[in-house]
């Protein structure tokens, strides 16, 4: 396990590491993410690596910048949980869009996309428009029917993560497309008419939003991973 760079500085929330035995992990055993990535590249067979990027693209962008020949030699394909939009001014005709993972470090995202296009590296980009909706209750139902601590963790992280997302939305920390109506349509199963008739726009960060979470989530990361499977 390697510790990646921050991209845009971010403070992890308590629910993100509320996993059994997390406190017993020795920090001294965790490696520097960039050094670990370089070591993996050096040890890998030619064209054997399938790189999956589901957060900031900074560490891979740094590897591309510092060891481009090594990346070209060892990487078979790259999958990104992100997004692209047309840009006729770019040689590839594409640029990074406003997906959250791109915005963690937009320069890094553009560098990775540009490198892959320029060198014909097989690239799959999974955007928010390309994944199916899954009922939010699915993870909770699995957690309740099993005694698996990982499933309990994932179910709790899903709901608590959306509580945190609501607070960021109310604080104006999300892209402009992420409105309160978008939140209720996506995660609370309420259409525009219901949202307006119930005056949901008046709700704020003090609202117990967890009681409204009956909608769907999009498994971007799972689909991105599936695209690299043999």
């Amino acid at each position: 396990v390697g510790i990646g760079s921050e991209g845009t500085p971010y403070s992890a929330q308590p629910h993100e590491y509320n996993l059994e035995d997390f406190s017993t992990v020795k920090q001294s055993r965790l490696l520097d993410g960039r050094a670990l990535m370089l070591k993996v590249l050096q040890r890998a067979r030619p064209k054997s690596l399938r790189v999956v990027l589901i957060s900031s693209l900074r560490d891979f962008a740094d590897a591309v910048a510092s060891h481009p020949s090594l990346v070209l030699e060892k990487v078979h394909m790259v999958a990104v949980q992100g997004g692209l939009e047309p840009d006729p001014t770019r040689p590839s005709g594409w640029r990074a869009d406003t997906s959250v993972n791109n915005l963690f470090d937009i320069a890094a995202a553009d560098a990775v996309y540009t490198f892959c296009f320029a060198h014909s590296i097989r690239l799959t980009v999974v955007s928010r428009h390309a994944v199916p909706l899954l009922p939010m209750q699915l993870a909770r139902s699995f957690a309740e029917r099993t005694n698996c601590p990982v499933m309990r963790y994932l179910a709790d992280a899903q709901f608590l993560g959306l509580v945190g997302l609501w607070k960021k939305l109310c604080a104006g920390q999300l892209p402009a497309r992420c409105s309160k109506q978008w939140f209720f349509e996506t995660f609370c199963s309420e259409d525009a008419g219901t949202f307006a008739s119930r005056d949901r726009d008046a709700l704020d960060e003090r609202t117990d939003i967890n009681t409204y979470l009956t909608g769907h989530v999009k498994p971007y990361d799972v689909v991105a991973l599936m695209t690299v499977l043999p």
Side-chain angles (χ1 to χ4, degrees):
V1 176
I3 302 176
S5 61
E6 290 183 320
T8 300
Y10 170 76
S11 297
Q13 302 303 305
H15 71 268
E16 295 181 65
Y17 48 82
N18 187 25
L19 186 61
E20 187 176 346
D21 293 330
F22 176 86
S23 60
T24 66
V25 175
K26 295 182 179 179
Q27 293 293 315
S28 60
R29 297 187 61 185
L30 301 178
L31 306 177
D32 174 76
R34 295 176 183 177
L36 178 59
M37 183 176 292
L38 180 58
K39 183 182 294 185
V40 170
L41 285 166
Q42 291 170 335
R43 293 181 175 179
R45 299 186 310 275
K47 295 298 180 183
S48 64
L49 294 180
R50 300 166 187 261
V51 180
V52 182
L53 305 171
I54 58 174
S55 186
S56 168
L57 279 65
R58 169 49 56 193
D59 288 331
F60 189 61
D62 287 345
V64 162
S66 61
H67 296 82
S69 297
L70 184 62
V71 172
L72 288 174
E73 178 188 356
K74 301 300 181 70
V75 172
H76 169 64
M77 68 176 297
V78 175
V80 182
Q81 177 191 347
L84 291 163
E85 59 188 14
D87 183 349
T89 68
R90 303 289 182 92
S92 67
W94 300 92
R95 68 180 177 191
D97 70 2
T98 58
S99 299
V100 172
N101 288 344
N102 287 342
L103 294 180
F104 283 141
D105 194 322
I106 193 69
D110 268 327
V112 169
Y113 295 135
T114 299
F115 182 83
C116 291
F117 282 128
H119 296 281
S120 299
I121 294 178
R122 182 180 173 186
L123 174 69
T124 61
V125 181
V126 179
S127 83
R128 59 185 178 274
H129 306 298
V131 292
L133 292 171
L134 292 181
M136 289 182 57
Q137 297 299 328
L138 191 62
R140 180 167 286 175
S141 67
F142 278 128
E144 291 174 349
R145 286 184 291 160
T146 69
N147 193 32
C148 176
V150 174
M151 283 307 308
R152 290 198 302 271
Y153 164 77
L154 291 173
D156 290 343
Q158 174 182 266
F159 284 90
L160 293 175
L162 290 173
V163 170
L165 185 69
W166 170 257
K167 293 182 182 299
K168 288 183 179 180
L169 189 160
C170 293
Q173 298 175 359
L174 298 182
R177 60 179 170 79
C178 299
S179 64
K180 291 180 181 179
Q181 181 177 318
W182 160 81
F183 187 97
F184 269 81
E185 288 180 344
T186 305
F187 305 117
C188 308
S189 296
E190 290 192 0
D191 58 23
T194 303
F195 177 85
S197 66
R198 296 180 179 177
D199 196 24
R200 301 302 197 199
D201 201 47
L203 302 179
D204 58 22
E205 69 279 359
R206 295 168 295 181
T207 302
D208 181 11
I209 202 67
N210 196 36
T211 61
Y212 296 88
L213 296 176
T214 59
H216 299 79
V217 291
K218 292 185 174 184
Y220 306 87
D221 47 357
V222 176
V223 175
L225 176 60
M226 291 174 64
T227 65
V228 305
L229 297 177

